[in-house]
């Protein structure tokens, strides 16, 4: 088991001014918090955070990362809280530990390829600080190293599968290849133990011969470079079993045919020496066409730089050789982690911004990658995604654009779920439908079979699917309503002519009429009537001889030219319909500002009632239609006002004066006086809107001798 002193030694080796006190305090706190807890291996639990911190030190990370690594399981597994960590170690450590804890709640179930990609993206999106991911990787690495202590093979395989699908690719994308490689190899052991053992045996079979071969090649290269005046370090190693296996699978090779199971690396001082060395290697051994890659001139998006070549080696074997500088070698090992090296204490926001700018560039630079395979491999590193990731009730992860709402979520599940959406819960609590969703939330939609979409949703939905489905629905509804309205107008108009529209509509003559008006189906013609563009009388005239048509002025339901010019002043818009015939309920006399509801009345267009009108409540709810006051209209509306007062000279004149001062016109006034000199006055006044009415009623109450004033209906 690694000791805290080993970790401190590692850290001081790469950073002289590291905050060792912070690391020491984190160690003591973690030891106290985990006291008494034991790992499956039988070791004290503390061994785990220590090993994780050790891995982070191997990545040469800063003291904040090391301390956070020591504390990473404290909030999840002990009595201590985020606040405790904050009080003891400050904001930065607390945020990182909270981030690691939060990632622990992401279910990794059924990591199928597509879902795995989403989980990886979600991890990156959820981590505000990339060090959260680095700790998570170190945590997973140690758990893989100790996976053998899990007794159940099923559990081992499940964890190995997650590691292979989620964590290894994540390490690769962040450019931390040594972790990627170790995670893959260890997962491979649990996922395909037979194959692993087979390859291991094959590699070991001629191990001695191979090791001698490595040594001789190393010597040859060193000698050649020395001749040319280049000092370098030459490394030779067996590729890991998993990459050998991948090569066998992807290139359909037998083990005997996988020649380059050994890889060499030449490390030099400068870029130009790398190119020079490449030339010398090619003069020594023949390169294989198409196998030379220059990642120095064109780095991988995760900053990886190196020259790669494959040559026919001294015993006619293929050998892969990588050539790079010391600096490139460090980046290749630590990737993104390189940015938290040597950066101790007081990191200013500007510096942090700079780091993030670098990561952003890294993401942006993917655009310029030439090799399409390379592009696919790396395109998915997206640390600042335009997407968010939320959980469905089944635990699946759904990707949505930033700013998406529960409505977008609902439509993405299914069009019907969207149409019937009446509410939404986030993490179990109801939220307004226009709320923006955030990564990591568990979202649930509440539906009602009777419910229908609202046009208002169009104001805030973000996905084109939701938008088009809602639009479609609204359009269909408008058409249906227009058809119904048109049908009712026809029925009434035909009745006036002693004709039965429904019977006639099934006859051949009607088909001809429909075609005559340029429509394919009767419904289209009816919709046109509903929209007020055609009149029922026009149809009747086509069906019966002209002189037989009764024209009593009622049959002509659709607006005449006069009526439509007057309609501009209706001050009402009917949901989704232009040119609708509008009347106002005489029973309730609504004025602008009053809540209103429309009612499709038989053959009379739409009647607008006060929403609280007693009459409308008795009507058929199926025929309700949403209407709104048109705020741009300057129309005035008749309202009956009832005034009770005690008679006096000049009373009526005073009331008329108040009314005209308020800018209203009096249409009619009826007055009755009883024996007690009590006066009842009914005034019909043209009112602009609700506030106008309220003011006028108040002003009338101020008139001397007036006892009560109210709107009559
Ligand atoms: Mn852990």
């Amino acid at each position: 088991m690694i000791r805290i002193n080993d970790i401190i030694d590692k850290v001081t080796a790469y950073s002289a001014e590291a905050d060792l006190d912070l690391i020491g305090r984190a160690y003591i706190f973690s030891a106290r918090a985990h006291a008494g807890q034991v790992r499956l291996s039988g070791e004290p639990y503390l061994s785990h955070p220590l090993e994780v911190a050790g891995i982070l030190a191997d990545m040469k990370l800063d003291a904040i990362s090391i301390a956070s690594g020591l504390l990473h399981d404290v909030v999840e597994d002990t009595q201590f809280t985020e606040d405790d960590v904050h009080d003891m170690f400050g904001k930065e450590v607390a945020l990182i530990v909270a981030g690691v804890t939060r990632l622990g709640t992401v279910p990794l179930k059924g990591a199928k390829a597509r879902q795995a990609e989403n989980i990886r993206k979600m991890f990156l999106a959820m981590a505000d600080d990339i060090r959260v991911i680095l700790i998570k990787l170190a945590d997973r690495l140690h758990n893989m190293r100790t996976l053998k202590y899990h007794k159940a093979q099923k559990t081992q395989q499940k964890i190995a599968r997650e590691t292979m699908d989620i964590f290894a690719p994540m390490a690769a994308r962040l450019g931390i290849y040594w972790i990627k490689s170790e995670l893959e190899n260890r997962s491979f052991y649990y996922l395909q133990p037979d194959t692993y053992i087979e390859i291991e045996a094959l590699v070991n079979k001629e191990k001695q011969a191979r090791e001698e071969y490595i040594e001789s090649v190393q010597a040859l290269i060193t000698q050649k470079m020395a001749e040319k005046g280049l000092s370098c370090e030459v490394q030779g190693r067996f590729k890991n079993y998993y990459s050998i296996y991948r090569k066998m699978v992807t290139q359909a090779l037998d083990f005997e045919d996988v020649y380059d199971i050994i890889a060499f690396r030449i490390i030099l001082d400068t870029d130009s020496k790398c190119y020079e060395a490449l030339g010398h290697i090619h003069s020594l051994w023949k390169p294989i066409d198409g196998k030379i890659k220059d990642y120095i001139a064109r780095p991988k998006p995760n900053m990886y730089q190196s020259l790669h070549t494959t040559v026919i080696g001294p015993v006619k074997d293929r050998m892969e050789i990588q050539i790079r500088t010391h600096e490139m070698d460090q980046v290749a090992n630590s990737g993104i982690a390189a940015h938290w090296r040597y950066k101790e204490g007081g990191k200013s926001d500007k510096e942090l911004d700079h780091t993030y700018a670098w990561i952003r560039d890294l993401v942006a630079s993917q655009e310029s990658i030439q090799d399409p395979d390379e592009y696919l491999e790396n395109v998915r590193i997206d640390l600042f995604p335009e997407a968010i990731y939320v959980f469905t009730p089944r635990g699946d992860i759904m990707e949505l654009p930033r700013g998406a709402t529960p409505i977008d979520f609902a439509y993405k599940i299914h069009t019907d779920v969207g149409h019937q959406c009446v509410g939404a819960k986030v993490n179990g609590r109801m939220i307004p439908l226009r709320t923006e969703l955030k990564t990591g939330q568990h979202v649930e939609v509440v539906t009602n079979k009777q419910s229908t979409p609202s046009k208002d949703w169009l104001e805030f939905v973000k996905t084109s699917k939701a938008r088009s489905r809602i639009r479609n629905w609204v359009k269909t509804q408008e058409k249906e309503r227009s058809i119904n309205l048109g049908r009712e107008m026809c029925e009434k108009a035909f009745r006036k002519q002693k004709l039965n529209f429904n019977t006639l509509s099934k006859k051949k003559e009607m088909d001809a009429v429909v075609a005559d008006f340029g429509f394919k189906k009767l419904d289209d013609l009816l919709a046109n009537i509903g929209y007020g563009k055609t009149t029922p009388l026009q149809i009747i005239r086509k069906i019966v001889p002209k002189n037989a048509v009764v024209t009593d002025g009622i049959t002509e339901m659709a607006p005449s030219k006069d009526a439509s010019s007057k309609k501009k002043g209706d001050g009402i818009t009917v949901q989704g319909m232009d040119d609708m015939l509008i009347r106002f309920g005489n029973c309730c006399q609504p004025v602008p500002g009053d809540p209103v509801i429309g009612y499709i009345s038989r053959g009379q267009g739409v009647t607008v009632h006060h929403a609280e009108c007693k009459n409308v409540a008795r009507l058929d709810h199926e025929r309700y239609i949403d209407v709104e006051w048109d705020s741009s209209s300057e129309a005035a509306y008749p309202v009956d006002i009832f005034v009770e007062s005690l008679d006096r000279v000049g009373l009526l004149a005073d009331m008329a004066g108040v009314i005209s001062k308020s800018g209203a016109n009096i249409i009619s006034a009826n007055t009755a006086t009883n024996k007690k000199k009590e006066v009842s006055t009914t005034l019909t006044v043209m009112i602009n809107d609700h506030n106008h009415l309220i003011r006028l009623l108040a002003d009338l109450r101020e008139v001397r001798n007036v006892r009560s004033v109210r709107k009559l209906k």
Side-chain angles (χ1 to χ4, degrees):
M1 175 170 133
I2 193 169
R3 294 164 311 144
I4 187 65
N5 285 341
D6 304 330
I7 293 168
I8 291 194
D9 287 349
K10 281 189 193 195
V11 175
T12 37
Y14 62 78
S15 170
E17 72 267 39
D19 186 353
L20 299 179
D21 173 58
L22 177 72
I23 297 175
R25 284 191 297 122
Y27 167 69
I28 291 164
F29 189 82
S30 182
R32 209 178 85 202
H34 290 296
Q37 296 177 346
V38 182
R39 293 272 288 180
L40 283 175
S41 61
E43 285 187 298
Y45 193 90
L46 184 63
S47 65
H48 171 64
L50 272 171
E51 293 289 351
V52 168
I55 293 167
L56 296 169
D58 289 340
M59 291 156 90
K60 300 196 166 87
L61 296 188
D62 63 356
I64 296 272
S65 307
I66 311 279
S68 305
L70 286 166
L71 298 166
H72 82 272
D73 275 333
V74 157
V75 174
E76 202 180 332
D77 292 340
T78 78
Q79 84 228 30
F80 293 99
T81 63
E82 257 172 64
D83 289 343
D84 296 330
V85 175
H86 184 276
D87 292 346
M88 294 284 296
F89 303 98
K91 194 175 160 195
E92 220 175 339
V93 171
L95 281 176
I96 294 174
V97 171
V100 177
T101 308
R102 194 164 60 231
L103 286 192
T105 65
V106 175
L108 305 172
K109 67 144 207 176
K112 289 178 215 116
R114 227 187 77 240
Q115 199 62 13
E117 179 56 38
N118 278 338
I119 293 172
R120 288 195 293 268
K121 286 184 185 172
M122 184 172 207
F123 263 56
L124 291 172
M126 274 173 85
D128 324 311
D129 189 317
I130 198 73
R131 287 174 289 185
V132 169
I133 302 281
L134 300 179
I135 290 169
K136 201 69 197 165
L137 286 174
D139 178 48
R140 178 54 61 134
L141 184 58
H142 182 242
N143 287 337
M144 285 306 293
R145 285 176 180 173
T146 53
L147 191 57
K148 59 175 178 244
Y149 297 111
H150 273 278
K151 283 287 166 294
Q153 201 192 16
K154 229 178 126 185
T155 315
Q156 289 178 338
Q157 293 203 337
K158 181 182 153 278
I159 293 171
R161 172 57 45 208
E162 286 167 12
T163 304
M164 190 67 107
D165 288 344
I166 296 163
F167 293 95
M170 206 143 62
R173 278 156 203 195
L174 298 179
I176 314 167
Y177 287 105
W178 72 272
I179 290 187
K180 173 214 180 217
S181 169
E182 188 176 337
L183 288 177
E184 278 177 351
N185 217 37
R186 289 186 182 277
S187 305
F188 179 47
Y189 173 76
Y190 291 100
L191 293 172
Q192 285 163 274
D194 298 344
T195 319
Y196 181 98
I197 288 162
E198 199 182 322
I199 292 176
E200 185 179 44
L202 288 165
V203 170
N204 286 336
K205 203 169 135 200
E206 293 165 54
K207 199 158 194 184
Q208 180 145 14
R210 287 186 210 278
E211 273 165 0
E212 281 165 17
Y213 169 78
I214 290 176
E215 273 171 38
S216 70
V217 170
Q218 276 178 305
L220 271 170
I221 293 174
T222 313
Q223 190 198 338
K224 180 79 180 176
M225 296 302 152
E227 272 171 31
K228 302 291 176 183
L230 292 175
S231 67
C232 64
E233 183 189 322
V234 182
Q235 301 169 349
R237 62 185 172 91
F238 290 99
K239 289 191 168 173
N240 75 38
Y241 304 150
Y242 182 67
S243 55
I244 293 172
Y245 167 73
R246 288 294 305 160
K247 210 151 229 170
M248 290 166 68
V249 170
T250 56
Q251 300 176 18
L253 298 172
D254 287 335
F255 179 79
E256 286 70 28
D257 300 324
V258 181
Y259 290 113
D260 47 353
I261 63 168
I262 295 163
F264 292 93
R265 190 172 293 156
I266 308 174
I267 300 170
L268 303 105
D269 297 333
T270 63
D271 294 15
S272 59
K273 284 181 182 169
C274 291
Y275 288 105
E276 223 180 297
L278 182 71
H280 299 321
I281 290 295
H282 288 169
S283 71
L284 204 52
W285 297 298
K286 191 178 182 298
I288 292 169
D289 285 348
K291 286 287 187 180
I292 305 164
K293 289 195 174 140
D294 183 356
Y295 295 117
I296 291 180
R298 191 163 285 154
K300 287 194 186 188
N302 57 25
M303 290 257 289
Y304 177 86
Q305 284 185 297
S306 196
L307 298 172
H308 290 188
T309 185
T310 304
V311 296
I312 308 292
V315 289
K316 306 299 166 212
D317 275 5
R318 285 169 172 230
M319 304 191 296
E320 188 188 302
I321 300 176
Q322 303 173 344
I323 304 169
R324 57 175 75 145
T325 66
H326 291 283
E327 221 183 311
M328 293 171 192
D329 195 46
Q330 283 204 336
V331 171
N333 280 320
S334 48
I336 248 170
H339 288 267
W340 276 270
R341 288 180 169 192
Y342 313 123
K343 279 190 184 171
E344 289 301 335
K347 213 187 307 167
S348 73
D349 284 344
K350 256 196 189 139
E351 268 177 286
L352 213 62
D353 278 354
H354 179 76
T355 307
Y356 282 127
W358 172 79
I359 298 171
R360 260 195 297 273
D361 287 350
L362 179 153
V363 174
S365 71
Q366 291 168 0
E367 317 270 320
S368 57
I369 296 163
Q370 303 294 314
D371 180 354
D373 289 340
E374 194 70 4
Y375 181 73
L376 277 180
E377 185 193 328
N378 293 295
V379 71
R380 288 151 177 168
I381 300 182
D382 192 353
L383 294 168
F384 297 90
E386 281 309 296
I388 57 154
Y389 303 90
V390 297
F391 293 105
T392 69
R394 277 169 36 202
D396 290 336
I397 294 174
M398 184 189 280
E399 179 179 335
L400 288 164
R402 198 168 279 283
T405 64
I407 299 291
D408 294 293
F409 177 91
Y411 276 102
K412 187 144 183 178
I413 289 178
H414 194 276
T415 300
D416 287 344
V417 176
H419 281 349
Q420 297 169 5
C421 178
V422 289
K425 284 181 189 172
V426 156
N427 300 336
R429 282 176 48 196
M430 290 296 293
I431 52 152
L433 288 176
R434 58 167 67 232
T435 314
E436 283 188 13
L437 297 175
K438 292 196 178 71
T439 287
Q441 290 178 330
H442 292 253
V443 185
E444 195 183 327
V445 168
V446 184
T447 58
N448 178 338
K449 283 218 160 53
Q450 264 74 54
S451 191
T452 56
S454 159
K455 214 176 174 180
D456 298 343
W457 294 353
L458 289 170
E459 286 167 24
F460 55 79
V461 292
K462 279 283 175 311
T463 53
S464 50
K465 176 167 183 184
R467 188 171 303 279
S468 71
R469 295 296 190 276
I470 297 165
R471 282 222 177 99
N472 247 332
W473 189 89
V474 170
K475 240 165 123 182
T476 315
Q477 285 305 298
E478 281 168 8
K479 177 137 195 222
E480 263 170 39
R481 283 171 194 224
S482 305
I483 292 169
N484 288 338
L485 184 58
R487 182 180 299 278
E488 278 162 12
M489 287 164 73
C490 285
E491 282 169 6
K492 174 147 189 178
F494 276 62
R495 252 197 318 277
K496 290 277 174 201
Q497 306 291 339
K498 310 266 189 272
L499 296 169
N500 186 320
F501 175 75
N502 286 319
T503 315
L504 277 169
S505 69
K506 287 174 193 106
K507 299 214 163 146
K508 277 221 173 74
E509 295 99 296
M510 193 57 86
D511 293 343
V513 173
V514 169
D516 235 34
F517 279 96
F519 293 105
K520 280 189 184 143
K521 292 184 297 183
L522 178 61
D523 277 356
D524 296 332
L525 175 58
L526 291 177
N528 202 261
I529 293 167
Y531 285 134
K533 288 173 183 152
T534 308
T535 69
L537 195 61
Q538 284 173 286
I539 298 171
I540 291 168
R541 284 195 176 122
K542 297 234 179 216
I543 287 188
V544 296
K546 198 182 174 197
N547 53 10
V549 177
V550 184
T551 48
D552 58 1
I554 299 167
T555 317
E556 197 78 38
M557 283 306 157
S560 65
K561 262 204 174 136
D562 276 359
S564 73
S565 63
K566 185 201 131 223
K567 265 176 3 76
K568 290 235 178 331
D570 279 347
I572 280 280
T573 51
V574 178
Q575 188 189 53
M577 293 196 216
D578 308 324
D579 294 344
M580 183 56 65
L581 202 61
I582 301 288
R583 302 188 318 143
F584 289 93
N586 207 32
C587 45
C588 52
Q589 293 183 327
V591 295
D594 286 341
V596 281
I597 181 97
Y599 180 77
I600 301 172
S601 44
R602 287 196 177 276
Q604 304 278 335
V606 171
T607 309
V608 178
H609 290 268
H610 193 287
E612 283 157 26
C613 176
K614 279 178 191 131
N615 285 342
V616 88
R618 287 198 293 265
L619 298 173
D620 179 4
H621 287 221
E622 294 269 287
R623 295 174 184 222
Y624 283 175
I625 187 164
D626 284 347
V627 294
E628 267 172 20
W629 294 106
D630 174 3
S631 56
S632 65
S633 166
E634 285 169 9
Y637 303 82
V639 173
D640 295 342
I641 295 171
F642 185 69
V643 184
E644 288 177 308
S645 48
L646 207 60
D647 202 13
R648 67 169 170 85
V649 177
L651 175 70
L652 207 57
D654 284 355
M655 289 200 291
V658 164
I659 291 165
S660 78
K661 222 174 110 193
S662 84
N665 277 333
I666 301 175
I667 303 292
S668 71
N670 287 303
T671 299
T673 310
N674 65 16
K675 283 176 191 159
K676 294 183 196 164
K677 294 223 163 189
E678 287 164 344
V679 191
S680 303
T681 313
T682 305
L683 300 154
T684 304
V685 180
M686 295 305 282
I687 295 293
N688 297 329
D689 60 28
H690 183 75
N691 288 339
H692 185 203
L693 176 64
I694 298 299
R695 257 185 289 116
L696 179 59
L697 296 181
D699 288 349
L700 283 172
R701 279 185 200 105
E702 295 301 309
V703 174
R704 192 159 57 84
N705 275 16
V706 168
R707 284 173 170 175
S708 76
V709 182
R710 63 184 164 88
K711 186 182 169 196
L712 193 57
K713 289 159 177 169

